[in-house]
Amino acid sequence: MHIIFQQLLNGLSLGGVYALEAVGFGLIFNVLKFSNFSHSAIVAISAYFGFFISRYLFPNFAVTLLMTAIFGGLIGVVIEKLIFRPIRLKNAPLTLFLVNSITAAMLVQQVFAATLGSDYYTYPEFMKETAWRLGAFTVSKTYVIMLTISALVLLFLSYIIRKTKIGIAIRAASSDIRTPSLMGVNVDFIVSVAFFLAGILGGITGYLLGMTYSVDPFIGSMILKGIIAAIIGGIGSLGGGVIAGLLLGATESLLISQIGASLTPIVVYSSIIILLLIRPEGISGKRFIVKA
Amino acid sequence: MILEIKDLSISFGGVAAVVDFSMYQEENKITGIIGPNGAGKTTVFNLITGIYQADSGKIYYKGRDITKLPAHERTSLGISRTFQNIRLFNNMSVIDNVKVPYVVKIRYTIFEEMLKLPRVLREEKSIDDKAREMLGYFGLAGYSNYKPKNLPYGIQRRLELARALMAEPELLLLDEPAAGLNPGEVEELMKLILKIQREKKLSIIIVEHHMELIMNICSMIHVLDFGKKIAEGTPYEVKKNRKVLQAYLGDEG
């Protein structure tokens, strides 16, 4: 019984990272209506950045996490300025955004493979004790911290989107990107902010993934689970993405303990296909037309 | 004179949409732009608000050349509009919809906002008060927490008007405000436009097919056909104009 509980906790904390990925992906989808695979580039770059600063600069967990988060945000802004803004200002079709985002993701992956690909990089051990004992349970500190951080970050983001003036402008742009400029909203700035926020999530994702596993050039491809969570959650609904991320993480973990690591992905992926056949709008129930 | 347009032209893929259009807008006056479908009326609005950049010609707002200014800066100078096809933010509540044009006027950074400085709290309250006051002014107070798409069409039109006024404009552009309204609602709309013009001291330009509305409330009318101005004048003059009758009714007119 307590094995299942432990698996559930591990699964939830991994699910928390999926939720971060789903929201980072969903935020850009909401505003610009395309699937932003370049989010994986932010995750990968941040994972390496987090490794290098925590290994060689400040061996302090909180400081380096914060630095990586902000760094991820800045990378998001740079990526938007470099590859999305020029085509947006030319009113390019959404397919081109998709192509640019995939190309950027692969480019970053290949650059890391060519330069740092021969090695695995492991984050320093931040905590002397890696587990807490609670009676019969052993709780991994890393997992608890991961879950806590994901929750805090998502609450923070939800506050910004729901309550602040920048959040009102982001929601307006998500509803109809052509109109807010006629309300005096600088849409270019709002798009930058959206990429900054998504980038912060990507930076934290990269850091947490790098800290839990190790950093390799393909670490960015782990956002695929987050993208799946965003779609199951009902793309367009950030809350749905969070729930789907947690569910996905927990289900995976439980299945691995019950039927093994090789069968689990098969069961998970086929369930997702069946779920979306039955409910194409995802679990949040919002009808949303997915373009590109 | 609040707005002056000089020889404005734009074409799309070789097709001239607006050709050498000029007009003046006097302060505190209501002007109409009429013309058959595809005459370029909405394009003129899109040029004034900055959705399109003119190929040639100039736009002056209160004496300032705004021809190249981006849309959001024109709005902050005091130009606001509604849309032919209602463009409300359907994923947001009615009250958040009307807050959009107002929040950008408030100057504080997101960091101050998160720290909840007293000034920010005051500003937040002022945004909320202002939004509620505006909804009340348009008789929409009861709909604050609704999503716009669930509201009747006439209410959505009024909400768009409320939102446009939250930008605190001096020049208001109304793009077919009577479209889809029944005769009773058009009557109400006419009164409403006259009321906001008077009480908010607005200059208004209306694009409209509804002749009764145009003839009743506009002091000056411009008639467009195939992107060109074919007539201008008072409602009486325009009604008598032979070219206008031809444009609307064909050559037999």
Side-chain angles (χ1 to χ4, degrees):
Chain A
M1 183 59 210
H2 73 266
I3 294 206
I4 290 192
F5 174 82
Q6 254 171 256
Q7 288 295 329
L8 196 65
L9 179 72
N10 296 354
L12 280 177
S13 56
L14 199 56
V17 179
Y18 294 166
L20 287 180
E21 296 168 348
V23 172
F25 175 84
L27 193 60
I28 300 307
F29 188 94
N30 279 0
V31 178
L32 293 181
K33 314 293 179 229
F34 77 95
S35 297
N36 178 23
F37 287 95
S38 73
H39 196 61
S40 72
I42 298 176
V43 170
I45 296 171
S46 305
Y48 278 106
F49 178 82
F51 163 77
F52 282 111
I53 58 167
S54 58
R55 169 71 60 184
Y56 300 112
L57 222 49
F58 308 99
N60 177 294
F61 172 73
V63 172
T64 48
L65 177 69
L66 192 66
M67 282 173 72
T68 309
I70 291 165
F71 176 79
L74 295 177
I75 294 291
V77 172
V78 169
I79 285 181
E80 192 270 328
K81 281 231 159 59
L82 282 181
I83 67 171
F84 297 125
R85 178 155 308 183
I87 59 173
R88 186 165 60 80
L89 295 181
K90 286 179 186 144
N91 292 315
L94 289 172
T95 322
L96 201 56
F97 286 79
L98 182 69
V99 170
N100 266 7
S101 83
I102 294 173
T103 314
M106 303 217 295
L107 177 67
V108 166
Q109 200 174 75
Q110 292 309 317
V111 166
F112 281 133
T115 53
L116 301 166
S118 52
D119 237 326
Y120 287 90
Y121 295 89
T122 316
Y123 276 55
E125 291 287 345
F126 292 115
M127 300 111 202
K128 283 195 183 115
E129 300 258 354
T130 54
W132 282 308
R133 289 191 179 281
L134 295 169
F137 302 112
T138 318
V139 185
S140 150
K141 268 190 188 175
T142 313
Y143 281 137
V144 172
I145 286 168
M146 258 164 80
L147 189 57
T148 315
I149 287 169
S150 306
L152 288 177
V153 169
L154 291 171
L155 282 174
F156 169 72
L157 187 81
S158 146
Y159 170 77
I160 287 185
I161 297 225
R162 282 184 305 113
K163 294 285 182 197
T164 66
K165 59 173 190 154
I166 209 107
I168 287 184
I170 288 177
R171 279 185 291 142
S174 304
S175 182
D176 176 0
I177 194 152
R178 303 163 307 164
T179 306
S181 67
L182 298 163
M183 321 265 122
V185 176
N186 183 348
V187 173
D188 290 348
F189 176 70
I190 293 302
V191 170
S192 277
V193 172
F195 270 88
F196 183 69
L197 293 174
I200 287 180
L201 297 184
I204 293 172
T205 305
Y207 191 99
L208 293 180
L209 287 176
M211 181 183 87
T212 315
Y213 306 102
S214 59
V215 191
D216 68 64
F218 303 99
I219 193 165
S221 60
M222 291 175 89
I223 72 149
L224 197 61
K225 292 280 174 51
I227 294 178
I228 289 172
I231 292 166
I232 305 174
I235 198 146
S237 154
L238 299 182
V242 172
I243 294 168
L246 291 172
L247 275 178
L248 187 61
T251 312
E252 260 188 351
S253 241
L254 288 180
L255 280 176
I256 287 173
S257 72
Q258 301 301 312
I259 60 172
S262 52
L263 273 181
T264 296
I266 298 174
V267 174
V268 167
Y269 290 131
S270 26
S271 321
I272 289 167
I273 290 180
I274 294 166
L275 176 74
L276 291 178
L277 286 176
I278 303 168
R279 239 185 123 73
E281 69 271 30
I283 50 178
S284 85
K286 266 191 201 157
R287 288 271 170 198
F288 204 84
I289 298 160
V290 179
K291 296 174 197 159
Chain B
M1 194 186 335
I2 188 161
L3 185 78
E4 183 184 2
I5 297 175
K6 270 190 181 164
D7 302 323
L8 212 56
S9 298
I10 187 170
S11 54
F12 300 107
V15 180
V18 170
V19 185
D20 292 334
F21 179 77
S22 301
M23 72 172 274
Y24 301 105
Q25 171 69 35
E26 302 284 346
E27 264 164 64
N28 295 317
K29 289 281 189 322
I30 304 180
T31 304
I33 300 179
I34 61 171
N37 278 326
K41 306 181 296 292
T42 297
T43 308
V44 169
F45 272 13
N46 287 340
L47 287 166
I48 299 175
T49 49
I51 296 181
Y52 301 145
Q53 295 283 336
D55 295 337
S56 62
K58 291 278 180 202
I59 306 168
Y60 298 94
Y61 176 73
K62 296 205 269 187
R64 175 177 172 188
D65 183 355
I66 60 162
T67 318
K68 301 275 177 219
L69 224 53
H72 68 272
E73 287 182 31
R74 300 189 197 194
T75 309
S76 38
L77 287 179
I79 303 175
S80 184
R81 69 174 287 181
T82 64
F83 303 90
Q84 188 179 343
N85 309 310
I86 295 176
R87 286 204 205 164
L88 291 163
F89 302 120
N90 279 317
N91 60 347
M92 298 163 76
S93 65
V94 163
I95 187 148
D96 280 354
N97 261 271
V98 295
K99 280 180 185 175
V100 173
Y102 197 66
V103 290
V104 296
K105 294 178 168 289
I106 310 290
R107 296 282 161 216
Y108 51 78
T109 67
I110 194 157
F111 300 106
E112 292 177 85
E113 192 162 10
M114 284 181 307
L115 293 171
K116 287 277 172 216
L117 298 179
R119 184 165 73 82
V120 175
L121 290 175
R122 270 202 308 279
E123 300 275 28
E124 261 176 17
K125 180 150 185 341
S126 90
I127 295 173
D128 206 63
D129 289 348
K130 171 94 182 166
R132 286 181 196 286
E133 184 195 319
M134 190 60 81
L135 289 179
Y137 185 81
F138 283 92
L140 298 167
Y143 300 107
S144 297
N145 297 318
Y146 284 63
K147 292 278 159 76
K149 61 173 177 247
N150 300 327
L151 298 174
Y153 197 75
I155 304 278
Q156 291 191 29
R157 284 249 171 246
R158 248 192 292 158
L159 176 56
E160 241 201 358
L161 212 48
R163 187 182 62 176
L165 288 195
M166 282 295 278
E168 299 183 320
E170 288 169 67
L171 175 63
L172 180 64
L173 311 178
L174 303 176
D175 195 352
E176 300 203 20
L181 301 186
N182 66 39
E185 288 172 325
V186 173
E187 189 74 24
E188 265 178 52
L189 176 72
M190 255 192 278
K191 285 184 195 147
L192 186 61
I193 293 173
L194 290 170
K195 180 179 162 209
I196 58 173
Q197 191 282 319
R198 202 176 50 240
E199 294 180 0
K200 310 269 177 192
K201 299 195 173 41
L202 293 171
S203 311
I204 300 179
I205 306 177
I206 306 178
V207 158
E208 190 47 79
H209 279 298
H210 202 284
M211 282 308 144
E212 197 196 329
L213 181 134
I214 287 281
M215 296 296 167
N216 271 321
I217 66 176
C218 297
S219 54
M220 181 66 140
I221 294 171
H222 303 270
V223 189
L224 281 182
D225 192 23
F226 293 110
K228 291 191 182 107
K229 180 145 72 175
I230 57 168
E232 66 179 22
T234 62
Y236 180 77
E237 288 164 351
V238 164
K239 249 190 266 188
K240 297 285 175 213
N241 190 304
R242 201 174 157 71
K243 276 200 226 159
V244 177
L245 293 173
Q246 272 175 356
Y248 270 93
L249 304 171
D251 280 339
E252 300 94 288

